[in-house]
Amino acid sequence: MTTPTIYALHENPEWFPPFAEALAAEGLHVEEWLLTDGVLDLGSAPPEGVFWSRISASSHTRGHDLSKDYSRAVLSWLESYGRRTVNGRQVLELEMSKVDQLARLRAAGIDTPHTVAAVGRQHVAVAADSVPAPFVTKHNQGGKGLGVRKFDSHAELRRYVDSDEFEEPQDGITLIQEYVQPARPSITRVEIVGGEFIYAIEADTARGGFQLCPADACAIDPETGRPVMPPGATVAPEIGQQLFSLRQGFDHPIIEAYLAFARDNDLEVCGIEFIESVDGRILTYDVNTNTNYNAAVEQLAPRSAPRALAAYLRSVAESL
């Protein structure tokens, strides 16, 4: 019996090599659908197979302004024909909105930072009045630390909003969020595939700031701000230069809460991020559904996340 084809829906070829390698090692036939622009015949039936979506909320930063709406259309089309999607149409909406993420996390009983959403630039300063300083701003439709800035006063924010430096969010929604004083200068990202905890990544915020994309293609030199490796590189820098490391032996009740959250929201592949505050809170602030994996972390991890993903996609394909 031939295993059905895996169709990988994405918009950034630079992020794909580690997944292509893992899928090939699993013996899967993979076709990439690059969703940047194109034509969609709604009356034509899609091919048979498994359709894995990893469209990113930051796609517009790579000049792919049409990818999000194109992906919405493609996923709606696929699901209307009963095709099996992994991280399908509704999950895409979660990827695209931090408001959606934070609302669902709170409803699930998971603590999040105090956040106010301002729809329109003219409302940002007023929205911040209910959040004590210091606080941070960020884009609702983000990734890669888009729009994230720390402000020590409301007057500082007002000057920023009135200046030419203001970063307009892609969807017009700016979040004002409490600044969480960390117990240590790091955040933790819990990686989940197919209902299983794979491992936890620790990111060094003292050196990396708010740029916390762990993919090798995202790596930046904290001194120069430039990429550590040229686009498309798949070999990791020396581990000592990494902003990301394996959080060895991580075992905390938050893992079970995240597994339940993933199950209840049909998140088959995700990375969920939290910060530990000096006052003992664990605050969850981001859900990534186009999760990336770091080669240096993979060298030390007890199991490979891309291989776990490939094995999961095989199991889904074989169940059709």
Side-chain angles (χ1 to χ4, degrees), residues 89 148 171 189-190 240-241 256 265 268 294 299 307 311:
R89 179 68 175 81
V148 181
D171 61 0
R189 175 164 163 156
V190 172
Q241 298 175 352
E256 288 303 320
N265 289 278
E268 295 175 83
N294 181 275
Q299 291 175 16
R307 285 302 300 269

Side-chain angles (χ1 to χ4, degrees), residues 46-246:
E48 299 289 343
V50 174
F51 297 82
W52 164 46
S53 171
R54 58 181 324 277
I55 300 300
S56 170
S58 64
S59 59
H60 61 281
T61 67
R62 291 176 288 279
H64 301 156
D65 291 356
L66 302 178
S67 286
K68 297 165 194 175
D69 285 323
Y70 188 19
S71 300
R72 288 180 171 109
V74 167
L75 288 168
S76 292
W77 169 65
L78 291 169
E79 292 175 5
S80 75
Y81 279 91
R83 297 299 183 265
R84 177 64 162 91
T85 57
V86 172
N87 280 10
R89 179 68 175 81
Q90 293 307 308
V91 171
L92 179 66
E93 294 310 316
L94 194 67
E95 168 69 19
M96 297 304 161
S97 174
K98 294 189 187 302
V99 167
D100 198 357
Q101 295 168 21
L102 294 167
R104 294 201 206 182
L105 286 164
R106 183 199 56 77
I110 296 171
D111 288 339
T112 62
H114 178 208
T115 307
V116 178
V119 184
R121 178 176 182 169
Q122 69 274 24
H123 296 296
V124 173
V126 172
D129 287 344
S130 62
V131 183
F135 50 79
V136 298
T137 60
K138 59 179 62 174
H139 289 180
N140 178 56
Q141 201 172 98
K144 304 195 305 180
L146 288 176
V148 181
R149 290 181 178 234
K150 178 175 176 282
F151 296 90
D152 292 318
S153 71
H154 293 84
E156 183 185 355
L157 173 68
R158 285 192 291 273
R159 288 192 296 270
Y160 166 66
V161 173
D162 291 338
S163 74
D164 293 336
E165 294 183 10
F166 181 75
E167 295 180 62
E168 194 70 49
Q170 182 74 0
D171 61 0
I173 302 175
T174 299
L175 305 185
I176 300 93
Q177 191 171 83
E178 70 168 292
Y179 173 72
V180 179
Q181 185 64 44
R184 52 186 183 147
S186 66
I187 62 95
T188 299
R189 175 164 163 156
V190 172
E191 300 290 353
I192 295 170
V193 175
E196 290 186 76
F197 166 63
I198 306 301
Y199 52 63
I201 294 174
E202 190 164 52
D204 182 348
T205 57
R207 291 188 299 138
F210 298 116
Q211 165 56 286
L212 298 175
C213 168
D216 296 329
C218 291
I220 58 170
D221 186 320
E223 298 296 326
T224 67
R226 297 188 174 190
V228 173
M229 296 180 293
T234 58
V235 179
E238 293 298 321
I239 291 176
Q241 298 175 352
Q242 283 278 318
L243 300 177
F244 304 92
S245 60
L246 180 70

Side-chain angles (χ1 to χ4, degrees), residues 16-33:
F16 201 69
F19 300 105
E21 183 179 339
L23 291 163
E26 197 67 28
L28 293 167
H29 176 64
V30 181
E31 290 189 21
E32 295 180 54
W33 283 12

